[in-house]
Amino acid sequence: MTLNPTAQNYRVAVNAYEAGRPSYPADIVAALPLQGARCVVDLGAGTGKFTRLLLSHLAPGARLVAVEPVAEMSAKLASEGKVEVINTRADAIGLETGSVDLVTCAQAFHWFDNEPSVAEIARLLRQGGTLGLVWNVRDDGTPWVKALSVMIEKYAGDTPRHQSGRWRWILQDPRFALDKEIVQDHPHRMSRQGVFERIVSTSYVANLPDAEKAILRKKTDDILREAGLGDADEVVFPYVTRLYLLKRV
């Protein structure tokens, strides 16, 4: 298998991704079975936003492996030297069979919701191990957030996305049993500039020509102005965080 071409656009969106994307709620991390875990794999680790949270909760001596196919995304995480980083695809992780207690996929599983990748995850996890799927989802129930989503939707094409729901087939996969689902509001405070960085951190927007991005910048400013946020130094961007914990059976 090859990396999805749209995912490769993240090569030019590293700074925007780090600046514009939210972290994750403490309660979501606390719900993961990290106590006693000897080996954890963060799959699709990106710039390491979720990886660093895992690291802060693991016991000394536990192994944490960040897997990210786009080396530009994981470069800073790798340079910090606190986490083992492997630049490879989800279907070719290559760790020892049954050696992993927990696999997490934060903001990532929709990119590799295919049989080869799930087979590799199932191979790595010990019996009774856990797969944690996490997404921060824009809350389109807020009108100005919905307007931003509609604005960029025309660029999406067939890009894999959480919103498609295609990934949900794993919830019925016989190799796993859904153990828990948690849904939590997650407001994210950011600068007004950060809102635009959130837009250009989207895979199918990141590689647009500068002229097209300039148009999106103006439209973003117009949407914020119409929402009464045009002069705000700080914007609260509403998200909903979803966590699915699946046991390896």
Side-chain angles (χ1 to χ4, degrees):
M1 296 184 67
T2 58
L3 184 64
N4 185 290
T6 307
Q8 299 188 45
N9 291 345
Y10 283 125
R11 301 181 196 280
V12 298
V14 176
N15 292 335
Y17 195 100
E18 189 65 16
R21 297 294 182 112
S23 186
Y24 298 84
D27 289 349
I28 293 295
V29 181
L32 297 170
L34 291 167
Q35 288 190 344
R38 297 160 298 171
C39 182
V40 176
V41 171
D42 189 24
L43 190 52
T47 61
K49 281 183 174 286
F50 199 71
T51 316
R52 293 182 181 91
L53 295 177
L54 295 173
L55 182 63
S56 68
H57 284 73
L58 283 173
R63 184 183 185 189
L64 177 57
V65 182
V67 178
E68 171 53 50
V70 181
E72 290 85 348
M73 287 285 278
S74 60
K76 186 175 186 299
L77 182 65
S79 71
E80 292 170 1
K82 298 178 180 179
V83 174
E84 182 180 346
V85 177
I86 302 175
N87 295 127
T88 189
R89 302 185 314 272
D91 61 338
I93 302 168
L95 300 181
E96 185 177 344
T97 299
S99 64
V100 177
D101 299 294
L102 171 66
V103 173
T104 59
C105 307
Q107 221 68 20
F109 182 68
H110 53 279
W111 286 106
F112 45 81
D113 62 340
N114 54 64
E115 174 54 32
S117 297
V118 172
E120 178 72 338
I121 293 169
R123 183 188 69 80
L124 293 178
L125 280 171
R126 63 170 175 79
Q127 293 297 312
T130 301
L131 170 62
L133 307 179
V134 186
W135 282 277
N136 285 324
V137 182
R138 295 188 304 271
D139 184 0
D140 283 348
T142 302
W144 66 266
V145 177
K146 176 65 173 178
L148 292 175
S149 295
V150 170
M151 178 184 72
I152 63 175
E153 187 72 18
K154 69 176 184 178
Y155 301 103
D158 61 354
T159 301
R161 290 175 294 160
H162 166 270
Q163 293 93 323
S164 74
R166 187 182 67 184
W167 58 271
R168 296 184 68 88
W169 65 270
I170 195 172
L171 302 181
Q172 280 76 47
D173 189 287
R175 291 165 290 193
F176 298 91
L178 181 61
D179 180 51
K180 187 180 297 185
E181 178 179 348
I182 298 175
V183 180
Q184 181 176 332
D185 289 337
H186 182 41
H188 175 51
R189 294 186 178 275
M190 62 201 311
S191 68
R192 197 174 59 213
Q193 167 65 19
V195 176
F196 181 66
E197 289 170 334
R198 171 62 185 88
I199 295 299
V200 296
S201 76
T202 307
S203 60
Y204 46 84
V205 174
N207 212 33
L208 291 175
D210 288 345
E212 192 71 19
K213 288 181 181 177
I215 293 172
L216 290 179
R217 176 59 183 264
K218 183 181 184 306
K219 289 182 178 179
T220 298
D221 288 342
D222 289 344
I223 288 169
L224 293 177
R225 190 176 302 109
E226 290 171 7
L229 299 169
D231 296 322
D233 293 327
E234 185 179 73
V235 174
V236 178
F237 200 122
Y239 283 89
V240 175
T241 303
R242 296 181 177 273
L243 169 65
Y244 304 84
L245 292 178
L246 297 95
K247 290 289 185 183
R248 176 75 171 97
V249 297

